[in-house]
Amino acid sequence: QIFFLKTTQKEMLSNNQHSIFTYSKRKNALRCDVKPKAWIKTLSLKTLRESGSKKTVDLGKKSILIVENEGSVFAVENKCSHLGIPLAGKAKFLEGKVSGKCVTCAAHGTSFSLEDGKVKGEWCPKIPNLPVIGKGSTQKPIRTFQCRVTDEGYVEVDL
């Protein structure tokens, strides 16, 4: 197989392990590290549904937003990629909306795909495009994580 690396680190997934390929410009070499998948039990599907099908959980230093939408469960990093504002949390006025397999940042209005984290539609439509403090031109996706529902009804996230 041939891998085209757009950045210095590219993660490839296989059955029960991660293969992390790192390219070193200095050494002109490609290194591969393999580690086992780390499925972490987060919450029950029942708890997720009781909370309106959207709930945040803290896993180590990461805040993860778990969402059930259109019959699927998704896990994304709980921060907007523009300024790092949480997509969901304690402040109701900053509560992101979930619709059509997307989560929309309440502060900036950017919609992100729950499937791959990519921006859907206009980047930061609530912010004027001003020099220095404006929305900028670079669209940044949010980080997504594989998740699954166990036979016992718990949502597990792979970090």
Side-chain angles (χ1 to χ4, degrees):
Q1 288 182 321
I2 298 173
F3 299 100
F4 295 96
L5 302 175
K6 292 184 179 178
T7 60
T8 58
Q9 187 174 16
K10 181 77 176 178
E11 188 172 314
M12 305 300 294
L13 301 175
S14 62
N15 292 337
N16 289 318
Q17 61 191 15
H18 289 293
S19 297
I20 300 173
F21 295 88
T22 307
Y23 177 73
S24 170
K25 290 181 182 177
R26 193 175 290 165
K27 295 180 181 179
N28 197 21
L30 183 66
R31 190 184 91 211
C32 178
D33 296 321
V34 179
K35 67 174 185 163
K37 284 193 175 196
W39 291 104
I40 299 171
K41 186 192 293 188
T42 58
L43 69 151
S44 70
L45 196 54
K46 180 181 177 188
T47 301
L48 181 61
R49 289 176 177 159
E50 288 171 352
S51 65
S53 294
K54 178 173 59 174
K55 185 115 174 111
T56 58
V57 295
D58 291 325
L59 301 177
K61 295 181 181 180
K62 288 184 171 60
S63 177
I64 307 296
L65 174 62
I66 300 176
V67 176
E68 183 180 34
N69 183 255
E70 296 187 6
S72 298
V73 178
F74 304 96
V76 298
E77 192 164 20
N78 186 32
K79 66 179 183 180
C80 176
S81 60
H82 179 239
L83 291 176
I85 295 172
L87 295 168
K90 297 176 184 171
K92 289 293 178 193
F93 68 94
L94 286 178
E95 192 72 25
K97 303 288 184 232
V98 175
S99 176
K101 292 191 179 181
C102 287
V103 61
T104 302
C105 176
H108 308 112
T110 301
S111 291
F112 300 95
S113 167
L114 291 167
E115 295 175 308
D116 59 15
K118 292 180 181 175
V119 174
K120 298 292 182 186
E122 186 182 349
W123 173 248
C124 299
K126 291 184 177 181
I127 298 177
N129 200 11
L130 302 172
V132 182
I133 60 169
K135 59 182 158 184
S137 60
T138 305
Q139 293 186 4
K140 302 173 205 163
I142 59 172
R143 188 162 180 207
T144 60
F145 302 93
Q146 283 188 319
C147 66
R148 65 185 181 192
V149 179
T150 65
D151 293 338
E152 296 82 25
Y154 284 92
V155 178
E156 292 183 336
V157 175
D158 179 24
L159 295 182

